[in-house]
Amino acid sequence: MSNDNELAERNSREKSNPPSDVIQWLVETGHGVLSTISSNKGTEDYPIASVVPFAITPEGKPYILIAGIAAHTKNLRQNNKSTLFISHPNPEGDPQSFWRASIIGNFKEVKTTATLDGEGTDSETTVIVTDLEQDMMLTRYRAQVPNADAYLKTHNFSFWLMDDIVKIRYIAGFGRICWIEGDEYLSKDIHPTFESSKLESIEHMNEDHVDAMVDIYDGYHGKTSSSVTMTDLDSRGVFLQCQDSIHSFYVPFGKTIAEDELRIAIIGLVKQARVQIKAR
């Protein structure tokens, strides 16, 4: 049996690029099933699961926004080992013939230096970010959950980041199965950065293509704006700030792109936005 399993895993890797598949699946779904270890009396040490929306950092790490009173939050504070399961959103026929993946790792609560109030932190359970970094996390998450700001304002919600990804169980259909090591998935080859050209690209868009950014903003958000500025970008989308709004918005490409694909990706956003505007 072990030889059969090894053969299946080898065949799976030969047919595709499993780490790249997983990040694309995460981009496409935006929600999954989170399993944590129950801390509730009577069900201690059993897994408990529920559906959660998530966003993804530029490094490929999923993060969630959950309330302090939620069962998952209580569980993670006692034992932060967890699994985020994603699967094909619209399988037809036998669901086992479609892709799915289990991302196994440790979630850590995200805190800013401003919220610590002199408290000590445990790097095994907490991730410290700047206010700006948390704002960018919220902007990305808002693309999945538009009402995210209301949760943060009216409830005791906080972000939790799967900072440690141990392994991923990858299944792309019958016979296409393997384990992916966390370090392999988190490789910069899978999650490229645009450090060499990012600032130049943002400057170019703000100086020469404000009309295109207005169309992207209006088309994707169903609003009308007079001026839009690009404030940041990464390999999976762009950050836009409308002068008529207090919020910035993240518009995803729908996939991970290489640095030399940025121009084509932005043109794709513009074309799709103009289709949406025309259809109104």
Side-chain angles (χ1 to χ4, degrees):
M1 181 63 72
S2 61
N3 289 337
D4 290 342
N5 290 339
E6 291 172 3
L7 178 61
E9 294 203 8
R10 185 164 61 250
N11 289 339
S12 178
R13 289 183 176 275
E14 291 174 353
K15 292 178 181 178
S16 60
N17 184 336
S20 293
D21 286 346
V22 170
I23 187 58
Q24 180 59 32
W25 298 343
L26 286 165
V27 169
E28 290 176 0
T29 55
H31 69 275
V33 176
L34 175 65
S35 294
T36 56
I37 306 301
S38 176
S39 60
N40 187 57
K41 186 177 181 180
T43 59
E44 298 95 338
D45 301 327
Y46 285 91
I48 181 173
S50 64
V51 174
V52 293
F54 61 81
I56 315 161
T57 68
E59 298 79 21
K61 298 177 179 181
Y63 61 93
I64 58 178
L65 180 63
I66 50 179
I69 62 172
H72 280 311
T73 304
K74 295 176 181 178
N75 295 344
L76 289 171
R77 285 188 171 137
Q78 180 166 302
N79 184 340
N80 65 354
K81 293 181 178 179
S82 52
T83 295
L84 179 64
F85 176 79
I86 57 174
S87 61
H88 192 292
N90 298 301
E92 296 180 0
D94 185 352
Q96 293 183 101
S97 64
F98 291 83
W99 64 258
R100 61 266 195 199
S102 296
I103 299 96
I104 302 166
N106 300 310
F107 269 98
K108 299 180 182 180
E109 187 171 11
V110 177
K111 294 185 178 182
T112 65
T113 52
T115 61
L116 290 178
D117 294 329
E119 296 179 7
T121 61
D122 182 353
S123 62
E124 296 297 317
T125 60
T126 307
V127 175
I128 306 301
V129 300
T130 65
D131 288 341
L132 176 59
E133 288 171 332
Q134 180 168 263
D135 286 344
M136 294 181 75
M137 291 180 72
L138 175 58
T139 301
R140 287 190 181 90
Y141 189 83
R142 194 186 294 124
Q144 301 293 338
V145 183
N147 293 328
D149 297 82
Y151 295 151
L152 286 174
K153 289 178 180 178
T154 60
H155 301 284
N156 184 25
F157 277 73
S158 60
F159 285 117
W160 287 74
L161 170 71
M162 188 178 273
D163 193 45
D164 299 324
I165 296 179
V166 179
K167 284 192 176 186
I168 299 173
R169 187 57 172 170
Y170 167 93
I171 303 175
F174 290 118
R176 298 178 61 193
I177 303 170
C178 67
W179 283 101
I180 305 169
E181 295 295 330
D183 290 345
E184 181 184 2
Y185 166 76
L186 293 171
S187 165
K188 289 185 178 180
D189 293 336
I190 308 300
H191 312 284
T193 59
F194 297 167
E195 296 307 320
S196 63
S197 64
K198 181 167 76 170
L199 293 179
E200 181 181 346
S201 298
I202 293 172
E203 182 178 313
H204 171 67
M205 291 299 297
N206 288 334
E207 289 182 354
D208 300 329
H209 298 291
V210 173
D211 57 336
M213 291 187 295
V214 167
D215 284 346
I216 293 173
Y217 177 89
D218 290 357
Y220 280 86
H221 294 286
K223 300 178 181 180
T224 300
S225 55
S226 56
S227 181
V228 174
T229 301
M230 182 178 291
T231 57
D232 208 336
L233 60 85
D234 58 36
S235 64
R236 285 184 276 275
V238 297
F239 290 82
L240 302 179
Q241 174 68 58
C242 171
Q243 69 174 19
D244 304 317
S245 172
I246 62 172
H247 297 310
S248 61
F249 293 88
Y250 185 70
V251 183
F253 298 132
K255 62 180 180 179
T256 302
I257 65 168
E259 195 164 9
D260 60 3
E261 297 175 308
L262 179 59
R263 178 176 176 275
I264 294 174
I266 291 178
I267 289 174
L269 292 182
V270 175
K271 288 181 177 179
Q272 183 59 39
R274 287 173 178 168
V275 169
Q276 297 294 331
I277 292 172
K278 190 175 180 180
R280 292 177 194 163

